[in-house]
Amino acid sequence: MKTKTLHLIIFFGLLTSLELKAQLCGTPQTTNFPTNHRTIINQSFLNNNESICFNVFYHIVRQDNGSGGFNATLLDDVNEKLNNSFNPHSLNINNLGFDYIDNTTYYNIDDSDNNNTEFNALVQINNIPNAINIYIVNNAVSYAGKSNGILSQALVIESSWANTQVISHEVGHCLDLWHTFQGTAIGFDGCAEAIDGSNCTTCGDYVCDTPADANTGNSGGYTPNMDNIMSYYYPFNEFSNGQIDRVRNAFATSSVLQQIVSNSCRIAELSPIDYLCYPANKTLTISNLEDSTTTWQVSSNVTILSSNNSSITVRAKYSNSTGNGWVKATLSNNIVLQEDFKVGVPDVSVITLESFNSAPLVTGTFTNVTARYNWLIDVGQFGHVWEWIVPSSQVISNSPSYSYIHVSPLGNPTSIYIKTRACNECGPSEWKGKWFIVETPPAGCTSCPTRPGIIHY
């Protein structure tokens, strides 16, 4: 039996990660296809708030007589490790099950001298078309894990590494992720990423928020993220936002990955609310919590009235509390659920009143006075409700669905005062008012409502 390369010694802690020189991952080099040149098949997969559930299937390779092989009772733990890596990004793994492959030839994979014959044959056995197929072998000569290419549907991993984060690294390759040091580290083909990241879209791992990495740690001007799962600085525990964007683009554009998508994941979700008022309270609950325990947090304008492992009851902290609020549930499996909402009545300070083209109002001529409502996002049935205080004889349009009134000042006043307020579930805001100049148009004027003028506050 040939000796494992230096990477395995390092991963056992006998050397530091900075000495990482040889190859742990055997995933073959492929040609990158730029994400901006791909055809979007399913737009929804690009939405980071949209959960993607995908299948995996495990194949445990044993000897001809059925002896040996990975302990199948640990597969739930393996799947949990995958979910711990991907769940924080709304990517969820569904375990379709497992089988045994009793074949001594593939029990110990020998790919020395770049011979991929055994690997290529193994990943075709019992291959499940709607899943990433994970083949667990006893031993491989040249690697701890190897995917069948970057963006693929199969991988092989040694039994001693199957229940570690190396499994997340190899699945990352299947989902279109490259090594953080690709093309930069010695011995890894590709275009080297500049230390300043100026060519990050075309070199390295093609992801701009993973710093350039020469696989030498913090040296030579490089400052890599040594916690990134696609690096060799084991132990690793996180993906970057840019890597997840690339994964989502792969799901949105690749027919290979779209066939592994499932609707069977039991995804933990926090029930939604749009508004939180005072003194009324609301209860948020977590569905599909499974065996996780929960730690609750809330924004500073929210008070927790009660909570347990699966629910929390909250209200606005004070009667005058306003703004953006949130409730966050951090689960013991590292999933973070957060619900954002509005607290209290609308904030009157973000309402702006202005006349059409900033022109003065003209006696006897209809023009618009607009209220711009910039309170982040108008949500729900109350988002466009306006209350105007002007003489009814001067109003043409005053619909709750409009954010303006169409007015015609009567007589010959020098100014007119208009005010408005916005409403939501918690009630109306304070009034916001403004004085507008009113002019008497010169004889024969046909475009006076749109000519420039001064507005008085």
Side-chain angles (χ1 to χ4, degrees):
M1 181 68 192
K2 298 188 178 180
T3 303
K4 189 71 59 180
T5 56
L6 180 60
H7 262 295
L8 296 188
I9 299 174
I10 294 169
F11 273 57
F12 281 116
L14 298 180
L15 298 175
T16 69
S17 63
L18 298 185
E19 296 171 300
L20 217 53
K21 303 293 184 184
Q23 185 172 341
L24 168 71
C25 172
T27 299
Q29 310 296 325
T30 54
T31 300
N32 176 59
F33 189 47
T35 56
N36 60 348
H37 292 171
R38 304 178 185 183
T39 300
I40 303 297
I41 303 173
N42 191 323
Q43 185 76 30
S44 67
F45 290 146
L46 298 177
N47 182 356
N48 287 326
N49 295 320
E50 182 79 17
S51 293
I52 299 177
C53 173
F54 63 94
N55 297 321
V56 298
F57 191 91
Y58 298 94
H59 306 273
I60 298 174
V61 182
R62 303 185 298 187
Q63 300 192 73
D64 289 342
N65 61 5
S67 64
F70 186 74
N71 184 352
T73 64
L74 297 177
L75 289 178
D76 284 344
D77 293 339
V78 175
N79 217 67
E80 183 177 357
K81 281 185 170 58
L82 285 173
N83 272 310
N84 286 345
S85 298
F86 290 98
N87 281 173
H89 307 284
S90 297
L91 301 173
N92 306 277
I93 289 83
N94 178 46
N95 180 3
L96 280 184
F98 77 99
D99 64 14
Y100 291 109
I101 298 175
D102 294 339
N103 192 317
T104 301
T105 299
Y106 307 115
Y107 184 62
N108 294 308
I109 291 286
D110 185 353
D111 71 336
S112 54
D113 301 322
N114 294 318
N115 184 346
N116 293 313
T117 302
E118 291 182 3
F119 175 92
N120 292 338
L122 175 58
V123 296
Q124 300 302 317
I125 299 175
N126 297 352
N127 188 280
I128 306 298
N130 65 330
I132 291 179
N133 290 259
I134 299 174
Y135 294 84
I136 305 176
V137 300
N138 181 60
N139 188 71
V141 170
S142 303
Y143 52 83
K146 176 179 178 178
S147 72
N148 193 27
I150 295 174
L151 206 166
S152 62
Q153 191 223 355
L155 66 91
V156 173
I157 191 166
E158 285 189 335
S159 60
S160 58
W161 295 101
N163 198 16
T164 73
Q165 282 291 53
V166 174
I167 190 74
S168 301
H169 178 106
E170 297 306 328
V171 170
H173 283 314
C174 290
L175 301 182
D176 201 31
L177 296 181
W178 294 67
H179 291 130
T180 56
F181 49 79
Q182 194 67 45
T184 308
I186 295 174
F188 288 86
D189 294 338
C191 173
E193 182 177 354
I195 290 177
D196 64 4
S198 57
N199 60 347
C200 61
T201 61
T202 56
C203 293
D205 65 350
Y206 312 103
V207 175
C208 288
D209 67 351
T210 55
D213 181 8
N215 199 29
T216 56
N218 294 308
S219 64
Y222 290 95
T223 55
N225 176 6
M226 298 175 69
D227 291 323
N228 194 281
I229 290 173
M230 301 312 295
S231 75
Y232 270 4
Y233 306 111
Y234 193 86
F236 33 54
N237 57 27
E238 66 185 27
F239 293 109
S240 74
N241 290 334
Q243 286 173 320
I244 296 303
D245 288 343
R246 183 177 174 91
V247 167
R248 285 185 167 275
N249 181 277
F251 271 107
T253 58
S254 168
S255 58
V256 172
L257 294 189
Q258 288 185 13
Q259 70 181 356
I260 73 171
V261 173
S262 170
N263 294 318
S264 299
C265 289
R266 292 180 57 82
I267 301 168
E269 293 181 322
L270 186 59
S271 60
I273 62 172
D274 292 329
Y275 298 96
L276 187 64
C277 308
Y278 183 96
N281 60 65
K282 289 189 176 179
T283 299
L284 295 84
T285 59
I286 303 175
S287 58
N288 300 324
L289 185 58
E290 304 296 341
D291 296 326
S292 296
T293 56
T294 306
T295 301
W296 294 100
Q297 295 172 283
V298 296
S299 55
S300 60
N301 52 359
V302 173
T303 290
I304 299 176
L305 300 179
S306 63
S307 67
N308 56 39
N309 199 47
S310 60
S311 67
I312 185 171
T313 300
V314 293
R315 74 166 185 218
K317 193 164 191 176
Y318 304 113
S319 59
N320 61 348
S321 294
T322 59
N324 300 316
W326 50 264
V327 169
K328 181 187 296 183
T330 303
L331 309 186
S332 56
N333 60 359
N334 295 325
I335 296 175
V336 177
L337 307 173
Q338 180 167 320
E339 176 64 15
D340 300 305
F341 45 82
K342 301 295 184 183
V343 176
V345 301
D347 182 356
V348 68
S349 67
V350 298
I351 301 175
T352 302
L353 284 168
E354 58 188 14
S355 62
F356 182 63
N357 277 359
S358 298
L361 306 185
V362 179
T363 302
T365 303
F366 290 114
T367 189
N368 291 336
V369 173
T370 302
R372 288 189 289 107
Y373 183 38
N374 298 327
W375 190 45
L376 193 59
I377 299 173
D378 295 334
V379 179
Q381 60 178 317
F382 302 97
H384 292 286
V385 174
W386 301 95
E387 297 182 27
W388 300 90
I389 301 300
V390 294
S392 59
S393 59
Q394 296 174 227
V395 177
I396 293 295
S397 297
N398 180 14
S399 167
S401 62
Y402 299 154
S403 59
Y404 66 88
I405 56 172
H406 202 35
V407 296
S408 176
L410 302 178
N412 191 25
T414 58
S415 60
I416 185 173
Y417 186 72
I418 299 176
K419 63 180 180 178
T420 184
R421 61 181 177 180
C423 300
N424 66 19
E425 182 178 315
C426 300
S429 71
E430 297 178 0
W431 289 105
K432 180 68 171 283
K434 182 176 178 180
W435 287 97
F436 293 87
I437 285 181
V438 178
E439 292 186 352
T440 301
C445 178
T446 59
S447 59
C448 295
T450 60
R451 63 188 176 82
I454 300 173
I455 297 178
H456 288 180
Y457 291 86

